[in-house]
């Protein structure tokens, strides 16, 4: 673990009095390696280390009998404060509230749409799930099955001979009309996975935003993402001015450094995390929960 | 070595940054740089273009290991596809089926994800689109029994290649890894030999956990090859280097999009050019 690596750096210096800046640098080399192994973005790690160094150069750490513990505390606190905590969904406006999910292929959007539906019903909302992924085979059916498993209504996206016959903006327009008729007050829209570098598909999302002004645009990101997490998050945020992030597959054993990369790059709240395949495996995000895991 | 050389002062740091940003592990990036430094002819100037050339050569050397050819020819073959959630297994099964169908093989697919919502239907649609028969099961049917049925169909009917899709599973979920081991045992029992190839699908956009995934899956169910998907994304796929160099596993194919034809053989040359 990082704490034992830092102990090792300092243990040979006991009895030599105050630590030097070089000693701090040696300790921070270990921290840097640990964060890179945790998939924190290279550039973000550099900035983080510089900030930690500034806080570590000073009497508290350098005169301390337990410098490694001090540095670990500085790093831990810095991580927790950067990662931030759950912020509630913006659902206090006039219904129907629209929550739109977006993200890369396979990140967990459709499953998360189901999870959000269950969560919102727990908050006494009248949820309507809307399948607006018109590309992936059986995407509409997937959301319908998830909806029916928890007794939530799902918009019946029209299909003919295996092809969807409405585009996402028509789907959402029809769904809103139905929601208003049935007093569904919260609409969760599932969209197709897409590369942030796919201009036509990013335009499709921008169009939905312009036409329907969703109250929440949530970026669904796989917690195992690597170095490209920064570029991906930045592009989705630049295109859509997202309102929050949902991290998925946090029940895996990856260190989850992408969370720090994403948060630091776009500075939008990480609101929830997916911790399993069941619709109930969904929790509000707290920085404390993954800070130590990123540290290693 | 570089005194008076043509390399700018922060060249090594920028290089390390570029390698790590392409998802090469920090350790491997350092090894690559140090190994190139050793090979550089003595003192004297070297331009960054020349250094890049040495770098490409070094990386190509690391990923050009000799691997035996795929074990699926001149008999009825079975390929088992495994991996964590959402990496592209089902789509890759369709792509692989299409790939081998175009090479003249009579392909059948086993839809052994009986767990996830609409997984069977997703593969059924791919089967229709590519003209490939799919052996499917009922929702929540034991996936091993669907695998058994698929192997029987391969043996009894006029097919020469069976590709089996499985449910996504995280390698740290013991019961799910045991389920996979059971699927493999059932295939072994029905076929009298284990699957000819077991490919783990890894997603190019994911980080170092992919190496843990490959190592863990190999330990628990044995892996003979790797397919890296989503290489059409902004991630550079540097993870391939550790797969080959650290784990000693061959990267057999890469996925480059969402259509059936978006699969290609892994080429070390093309990979290195795309990396740098
Ligand atoms: N273990 C685990 N699996 C998850 C989690 N969230 C989603 N999954 C799984 O990840 C896989 C992909 O989920 P989907 O909901 O289909 O992902 P998607 O983003 O809608 O995929 P596309 O529509 O193809 O872009 C499925 O196997 C889900 O069950 C999670 O928090 N933990
Ligand atoms: N851009 C791109 N997308 C891909 C590629 N391969 C798969 N996908 C997409 O990734 C998403 C997930 O693919 P699936 O085949 O459902 O993944 P899976 O591993 O079977 O998912 P689970 O069964 O839920 O674990 C889909 O939207 C695919 O179209 C690829 O090479 N490039
Ligand atoms: Mg989906
Ligand atoms: Mg699948």
């Amino acid at each position: 673990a990082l704490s034992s690596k830092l102990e090792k750096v300092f243990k040979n210096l006991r009895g030599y009095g105050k630590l030097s800046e070089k000693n701090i640098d040696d300790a921070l080399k270990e921290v840097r390696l640990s964060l890179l192994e945790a998939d924190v973005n290279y550039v973000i790690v550099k900035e983080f280390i510089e900030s930690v160094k500034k806080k570590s150069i000073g009497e508290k750490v350098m005169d301390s009998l337990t410098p490694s513990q001090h540095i670990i505390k500085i790093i831990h606190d810095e991580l927790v404060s950067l990662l931030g905590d759950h912020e509630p969904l913006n659902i206090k406006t006039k219904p129907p509230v629209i929550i739109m999910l977006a993200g890369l292929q396979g990140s967990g959007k459709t499953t998360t749409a189901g999870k959000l539906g269950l969560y919102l019903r727990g908050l006494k909302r009248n949820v309507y799930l809307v399948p607006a992924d018109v590309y992936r085979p059986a995407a509409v059916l997937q959301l319908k099955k998830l909806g029916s498993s928890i007794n939530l209504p799902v918009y019946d996206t029209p299909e003919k001979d295996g092809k969807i016959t409405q585009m996402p903006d028509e789907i959402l327009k029809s769904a809103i009309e139905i929601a208003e008729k049935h007093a569904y007050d919260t609409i969760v829209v599932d969209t197709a996975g897409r590369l942030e570098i796919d201009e036509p598909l990013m335009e499709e999302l921008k169009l939905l935003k312009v036409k329907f002004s969703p109250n929440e645009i949530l970026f669904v990101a796989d917690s195992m993402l690597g170095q490209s997490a920064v570029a991906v998050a930045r592009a989705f945020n630049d295109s859509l001015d997202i309102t929050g992030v949902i991290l998925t597959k946090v029940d895996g054993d990856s260190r989850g450094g992408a969370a720090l990369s994403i948060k630091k790059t776009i500075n939008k709240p990480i609101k929830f995390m997916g911790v399993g395949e069941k619709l109930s495996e969904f929790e509000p995000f707290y920085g404390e929960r993954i800070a130590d895991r990123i540290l290693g | 070595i570089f005194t008076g050389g043509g390399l700018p002062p922060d060249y090594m740091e920028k290089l390390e940054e570029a390698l790590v940003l392409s998802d090469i592990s920090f350790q491997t990036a350092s090894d690559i740089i140090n190994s190139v430094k050793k090979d550089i002819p003595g003192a004297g100037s070297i331009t960054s273009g020349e250094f890049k050339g040495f770098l490409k050569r070094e990386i190509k050397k690391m990923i050009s290991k000799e691997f035996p050819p795929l074990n699926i020819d001149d008999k009825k073959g079975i390929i088992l596809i495994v991996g964590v959630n959402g990496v592209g297994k089902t789509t890759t099964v369709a792509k692989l089926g299409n790939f081998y169908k175009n090479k003249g093989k009579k392909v059948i697919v086993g839809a052994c994800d009986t767990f996830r919502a609409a997984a069977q239907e997703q593969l059924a649609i791919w089967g229709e689109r590519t003209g490939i028969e799919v052996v499917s099961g009922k929702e929540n049917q034991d996936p091993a029994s669907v695998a058994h049925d698929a192997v029987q169909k391969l043996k009894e009917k006029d097919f020469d290649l069976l590709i089996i899709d499985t449910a996504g599973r995280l390698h740290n979920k013991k019961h799910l890894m045991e389920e996979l081991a059971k699927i493999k045992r059932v295939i072994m029992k029905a076929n009298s030999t284990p699957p000819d190839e077991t490919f783990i699908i890894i997603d190019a956009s994911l980080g170092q956990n992919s190496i843990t995934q490959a190592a863990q899956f190999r330990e628990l169910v044995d892996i003979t090859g790797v397919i890296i998907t989503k290489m059409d994304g902004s991630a550079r796929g540097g993870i391939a280097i550790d797969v080959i160099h650290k784990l000693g596993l061959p990267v057999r194919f890469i996925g480059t999009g969402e259509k059936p034809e978006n699969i290609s053989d892994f080429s070390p040359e093309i990979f290195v050019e795309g990396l740098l």
Side-chain angles (χ1 to χ4, degrees):
Chain A
L2 182 63
S3 49
S4 47
K5 293 204 187 110
L6 293 190
E7 301 266 347
K8 225 166 149 201
V9 169
F10 291 124
K11 87 170 207 272
N12 298 325
L13 304 172
R14 237 179 274 141
Y16 287 104
K18 202 168 143 114
L19 291 178
S20 67
E21 187 170 325
K22 161 106 185 23
N23 301 142
I24 301 293
D25 281 338
D26 287 345
L28 292 180
K29 279 204 188 78
E30 290 294 338
V31 179
R32 182 169 177 256
L33 181 57
S34 180
L35 292 176
L36 287 174
E37 286 171 349
D39 289 321
V40 181
N41 181 275
Y42 186 96
V43 177
I44 304 275
V45 170
K46 212 162 156 207
E47 297 165 5
F48 184 84
I49 295 293
E50 277 164 28
S51 151
V52 168
K53 177 169 176 173
K54 284 204 192 74
K55 299 196 165 114
S56 308
I57 302 281
E59 305 180 354
K60 213 160 190 230
V61 174
M62 295 169 89
D63 294 349
S64 167
L65 291 173
T66 55
S68 56
Q69 285 183 25
H70 269 292
I71 292 184
I72 292 273
K73 173 136 178 48
I74 290 170
I75 298 169
H76 173 89
D77 293 351
E78 182 83 352
L79 271 179
V80 173
S81 107
L82 284 173
L83 287 167
D85 285 335
H86 167 75
E87 289 181 24
L89 291 167
N90 176 23
I91 51 178
K92 298 233 186 279
T93 59
K94 165 173 170 303
V97 165
I98 301 174
I99 299 174
M100 184 169 91
L101 302 183
L104 293 176
Q105 289 90 343
S107 59
K109 297 174 294 301
T110 305
T111 311
T112 300
K115 290 177 176 184
L116 267 172
L118 184 61
Y119 174 83
L120 286 160
R121 186 172 64 196
L123 299 180
K124 306 282 180 267
R125 307 290 299 192
N126 239 332
V127 183
Y128 195 39
L129 298 178
V130 178
D133 177 351
V134 303
Y135 307 104
R136 171 172 155 153
V140 172
L141 183 64
Q142 186 183 359
L143 190 58
K144 281 183 174 170
K145 289 197 177 205
L146 292 178
S148 101
S149 75
I150 50 174
N151 278 317
L152 279 184
V154 183
Y155 173 74
D156 191 5
T157 301
E159 305 186 50
K160 191 163 171 25
D161 312 321
K163 284 257 135 64
I164 312 255
T165 53
Q166 271 185 332
M167 284 310 275
D169 57 329
E170 299 168 295
I171 291 169
L172 194 41
K173 181 166 182 289
S174 309
I176 291 170
E177 288 167 11
I178 295 174
E180 283 163 344
K181 273 206 206 89
H182 293 255
Y184 298 134
D185 56 28
T186 313
I187 296 175
V188 178
V189 186
D190 180 28
T191 63
R194 68 205 64 217
L195 300 176
E196 85 283 7
I197 54 176
D198 186 327
E199 292 185 16
L201 283 185
M202 292 305 284
E203 271 313 305
E204 177 186 275
L205 284 179
K206 274 203 206 119
L207 179 69
L208 290 180
K209 171 175 180 163
V210 163
K211 277 193 167 176
F212 304 101
S213 307
N215 306 75
E216 288 275 359
I217 299 181
L218 300 173
F219 174 54
V220 177
D222 193 320
S223 60
M224 302 182 267
L225 283 178
Q227 297 287 313
S228 66
V230 164
V232 175
R234 178 177 291 132
F236 273 94
N237 192 44
D238 287 351
S239 264
L240 304 170
D241 190 18
I242 68 177
T243 58
V245 179
I246 299 181
L247 284 178
T248 62
K249 307 175 206 171
V250 181
D251 48 313
D253 63 6
S254 94
R255 300 264 300 272
L260 179 64
S261 301
I262 292 170
K263 182 81 208 305
K264 198 133 198 304
T265 301
I266 63 178
N267 197 24
K268 296 289 169 73
I270 302 176
K271 297 198 174 189
F272 296 96
M273 47 192 219
V275 293
E277 292 195 75
K278 297 206 202 84
L279 297 186
S280 56
E281 293 174 315
F282 189 61
E283 302 172 358
F285 175 82
Y286 293 103
E288 186 70 55
R289 300 250 352 237
I290 69 168
D292 285 339
R293 171 174 174 164
I294 292 179
L295 260 184
Chain B
I1 297 177
F2 302 110
T3 51
L7 293 175
D10 64 345
Y11 185 77
M12 286 306 150
E13 194 191 324
K14 283 276 160 258
L15 183 62
E16 177 187 84
E17 176 173 330
L19 292 178
V20 171
L21 285 178
S22 55
D23 286 307
I24 298 175
S25 69
F26 182 76
Q27 187 58 60
T28 300
S30 314
D31 291 348
I32 290 170
I33 293 176
N34 289 332
S35 157
V36 173
K37 274 183 180 169
K38 283 219 302 318
D39 298 340
I40 300 292
S45 70
I46 171 172
T47 66
S48 56
E50 288 171 320
F51 193 90
K52 200 171 184 194
F54 279 105
L55 197 70
K56 284 185 184 177
R57 267 222 324 261
E58 178 65 24
I59 295 177
K60 213 167 147 259
K61 195 163 93 216
M62 286 170 110
I63 63 174
S64 297
K65 270 200 179 123
E66 280 299 321
F67 289 110
L70 278 179
N71 191 22
I72 54 161
D73 282 320
D74 50 68
K75 61 177 159 100
K76 296 207 176 215
I78 300 181
I79 299 176
L80 177 63
I81 299 295
V82 304
V84 305
N85 309 70
V87 292
K89 296 176 295 302
T90 303
T91 312
T92 300
V93 166
K95 290 176 183 178
L96 265 181
N98 192 54
F99 179 86
Y100 283 112
K101 178 169 180 248
N102 291 341
K103 289 202 160 184
K105 288 201 182 281
K106 301 191 205 74
V107 183
I108 186 165
V109 163
C112 295
D113 179 354
T114 53
F115 169 76
R116 206 210 67 216
Q120 296 278 312
E121 291 86 347
Q122 183 188 7
L123 199 45
I125 292 173
W126 276 121
E128 288 166 26
R129 287 188 190 176
T130 54
I132 294 175
E133 188 169 333
V134 179
V135 172
S136 48
K138 297 197 181 57
E139 212 165 296
N140 292 320
Q141 178 180 343
D142 180 0
S145 72
V146 182
H148 173 88
D149 296 346
V151 176
Q152 295 300 34
K153 198 137 195 187
L154 170 74
K155 286 174 38 188
E156 293 163 12
K157 301 277 190 265
D158 184 23
F159 291 108
D160 27 49
L161 179 63
L162 165 62
I163 304 174
I164 297 180
D165 186 22
T166 58
R169 68 202 67 227
L170 294 177
H171 49 284
N172 57 323
K173 307 266 168 106
K174 199 151 181 288
H175 62 297
L176 295 181
M177 295 307 285
E178 286 177 354
E179 174 188 86
L180 190 58
K182 177 176 176 205
I183 291 172
K184 206 160 183 182
R185 281 197 303 276
V186 163
I187 294 171
M188 169 107 192
K189 203 150 177 273
N191 198 43
S192 322
T193 68
D196 301 281
E197 298 286 343
T198 300
F199 293 148
I200 183 171
I201 310 301
I202 67 179
D203 179 334
S205 67
L206 304 185
Q208 298 304 310
N209 192 256
S210 292
I211 299 300
T212 308
Q213 293 167 21
Q216 284 285 307
F217 270 80
R218 175 163 61 180
E219 191 171 329
L220 299 166
V221 293
D222 196 28
I223 298 291
T224 61
V226 175
I227 299 181
I228 302 179
T229 58
K230 307 180 196 173
M231 287 291 281
D232 49 319
S234 53
R236 308 221 92 139
I239 204 83
I241 300 177
D242 272 345
V243 165
I244 296 168
H245 176 71
K246 213 193 266 160
L247 297 181
L249 285 171
V251 175
R252 295 297 193 177
F253 297 97
I254 61 168
T256 56
E258 303 186 71
K259 302 204 218 66
E261 57 268 27
N262 296 143
I263 183 169
S264 37
D265 293 299
F266 177 72
S267 144
E269 283 82 13
I270 298 178
F271 173 76
V272 172
E273 289 305 315
L275 194 68
L276 301 170

